[in-house]
Amino acid sequence: LLEQSRLAEPGEFTQRAFLNEKMGLTQAEAVGDLLTAKTKIQHLAAMQQLEGSLRNHISDILKKLTHQRTLLELEIDFSEQDLEDLDRDKLLEELSNLQAELTKLASSGEEGMILKDGLRVSLVGAPNVGKSSIFNSFLQNERAIVTPIPGTTRDYLEEAISLDGYLVRIFDTAGLRETEDQIEQIGISRSYDIIKNSHKVLFIIDGNENQSEYDKLTQIVDKNKIITVLNKAELLDEETIASFRAKSYLISSAETNDGLAEIKNKLLSEITISEEDLRSGILNNARQIAACNRAIQSIEKALESIQAEIGFEFTAFDLKEASHALEEIIGKITDDDILNSIFSDFCIGK
């Protein structure tokens, strides 16, 4: 018997449960999320998904969409019968409501991915302003090497921490400066890539406003992503601190840990998903977001065809495309390659 046995493939048991219709695709994905959950919020989000929150949400939208498609098909197939004419205004209203509901769902996607993969935060500033000290203060240990010599961080350092149950990935980047050192140049180049892909950037100064440095940073990332921080406050007088606070700088001292709580609160203030949102279902990966956006685009085309009065056949086709996109999210219609990609990331068996 053992000779006829083999090791289970990654995700095989969950994949079989999905193929045998014991769970939906979003629930199957939630199993993988649950296995990799590192924080309280990640665990809660995965459990809600596993219990079917997103699947139920999408199914409810599909029911509404199917009802509108049925009315359209009746209008198309039995237009010569003595049936009541389809109310165009009501159809426009219902489809607009569905579009708004899907747009809200799609907007949850970015924050859903943050909950799943972590909020990426880069520490940026001129050398020796205290980036590594703040990095260490966040971590509450001495992983980053801190010296008064500019250019100590030649490559970025990354650590993951839990802030109020949310996963936060902090990157201590190489100081942004011109240098002849080839190794440091590579570190700075890598830092630029990290900064571009960050959700939030802490621009840290120590009293010198470094406007040229800030202007250089705004060429890489949107200003809305930047949080300005004045560090080494213990070395500055009250008048200087007050002037920077008036410019919306957060005031901190890595030496005394003052102001770090305010920085943490500012970072998490951008995450607006509540436990109620998790229970109603949110998107949390690129596949789901892309499918939801396709559904929104198809409904938009359907609305345009109604307003242009070019024929309900076109409207019905666009709504069919919208349904197919939503069905892909819950796995009713799913490409085999997509399935293999999803389950290949699972651990052996699960």
Side-chain angles (χ1 to χ4, degrees):
L1 183 62
L2 287 176
E3 292 179 354
Q4 299 174 353
S5 302
R6 63 170 175 81
L7 287 174
E9 297 292 335
E12 184 169 350
F13 296 148
T14 306
Q15 187 171 12
R16 288 188 179 194
F18 164 71
L19 294 174
N20 288 307
E21 300 182 355
K22 300 298 183 182
M23 63 170 58
L25 186 55
T26 55
Q27 292 168 294
E29 288 174 312
V31 174
D33 295 342
L34 192 59
L35 292 172
T36 58
K38 297 180 178 67
T39 68
K40 178 182 70 175
I41 300 297
Q42 284 182 318
H43 185 271
L44 175 62
M47 285 301 299
Q48 292 297 328
Q49 203 87 309
L50 185 59
E51 291 173 6
S53 59
L54 180 59
R55 183 186 186 184
N56 293 337
H57 193 168
I58 296 294
S59 295
D60 287 342
I61 295 175
L62 275 169
K63 285 179 183 177
K64 298 173 187 176
L65 198 52
T66 299
H67 176 66
Q68 301 306 320
R69 289 177 60 194
T70 301
L71 294 178
L72 282 169
E73 294 297 338
L74 286 171
E75 180 70 18
I76 294 168
D77 293 340
F78 302 100
S79 58
E80 297 180 358
Q81 304 291 333
D82 293 332
L83 297 177
E84 185 177 347
D85 290 339
L86 184 63
D87 189 331
R88 286 177 181 271
D89 292 336
K90 187 174 182 180
L91 179 60
L92 283 169
E93 181 184 356
E94 294 293 336
L95 292 182
S96 295
N97 290 339
L98 282 175
Q99 185 185 40
E101 188 173 354
L102 285 172
T103 299
K104 181 180 178 181
L105 181 62
S107 68
S108 75
E110 183 176 355
E111 290 196 30
M113 291 184 71
I114 288 175
L115 294 187
K116 178 182 175 182
D117 301 325
L119 181 75
R120 296 190 300 275
V121 179
S122 289
L123 308 184
V124 176
N128 207 30
V129 295
K131 298 189 300 298
S132 296
S133 296
I134 289 180
F135 181 76
N136 289 333
S137 296
F138 271 122
L139 302 179
Q140 296 182 334
N141 64 45
E142 295 296 321
R143 178 177 185 271
I145 303 170
V146 183
T147 77
I149 303 171
T152 299
T153 304
R154 294 191 171 203
D155 198 356
Y156 69 86
L157 298 174
E158 176 187 0
E159 283 288 0
I161 62 174
S162 175
L163 291 183
D164 293 342
Y166 293 94
L167 179 66
V168 178
R169 298 187 182 278
I170 302 178
F171 297 87
D172 179 20
T173 64
L176 301 183
R177 66 169 186 160
E178 300 297 328
T179 178
E180 298 299 322
D181 188 315
Q182 291 186 346
I183 296 177
E184 192 176 350
Q185 285 176 353
I186 294 172
I188 292 173
S189 176
R190 290 178 178 174
S191 293
Y192 271 69
D193 292 335
I194 292 294
I195 293 166
K196 287 178 183 177
N197 293 311
S198 294
H199 298 111
K200 288 294 175 183
V201 176
L202 296 183
F203 177 68
I204 302 167
I205 64 172
D206 62 358
N208 179 0
E209 196 160 0
N210 283 335
Q211 188 62 44
S212 61
E213 200 83 30
Y214 180 81
D215 292 339
K216 186 188 299 183
L217 181 60
T218 58
Q219 294 174 12
I220 304 173
V221 295
D222 189 283
K223 286 184 179 181
N224 293 326
K225 290 185 176 182
I226 302 173
I227 299 172
T228 50
V229 177
L230 175 65
N231 190 35
K232 301 184 181 180
E234 77 280 1
L235 303 177
L236 303 173
D237 57 64
E238 286 299 324
E239 184 179 350
T240 300
I241 291 174
S243 67
F244 278 102
R245 184 175 279 117
K247 298 174 185 177
S248 299
Y249 275 77
L250 299 183
I251 311 302
S252 74
S253 170
E255 185 71 24
T256 63
N257 284 335
D258 289 338
L260 290 179
E262 188 178 358
I263 295 174
K264 293 176 183 178
N265 291 336
K266 181 68 174 178
L267 290 173
L268 295 182
S269 67
E270 301 298 323
I271 303 177
T272 59
I273 287 181
S274 64
E275 290 189 17
E276 183 179 347
D277 294 324
L278 294 179
R279 293 190 187 94
S280 66
I282 63 170
L283 307 178
N284 71 351
N285 63 49
R287 181 191 72 82
Q288 296 170 356
I289 295 170
C292 186
N293 283 329
R294 289 203 307 275
I296 293 170
Q297 291 167 5
S298 294
I299 292 178
E300 178 63 32
K301 290 180 181 178
L303 289 168
E304 290 172 357
S305 69
I306 297 171
Q307 291 166 338
E309 298 185 4
I310 60 176
F312 285 134
E313 293 84 357
F314 294 95
T315 308
F317 175 81
D318 290 327
L319 294 188
K320 182 179 179 181
E321 292 295 299
S323 292
H324 283 178
L326 295 177
E327 287 167 350
E328 283 183 21
I329 295 178
I330 59 177
K332 196 171 181 179
I333 299 176
T334 311
D335 185 272
D336 287 341
D337 290 337
I338 294 176
L339 286 180
N340 292 334
S341 174
I342 290 170
F343 292 107
S344 66
D345 291 333
F346 281 45
C347 58
I348 298 298
K350 297 293 186 186

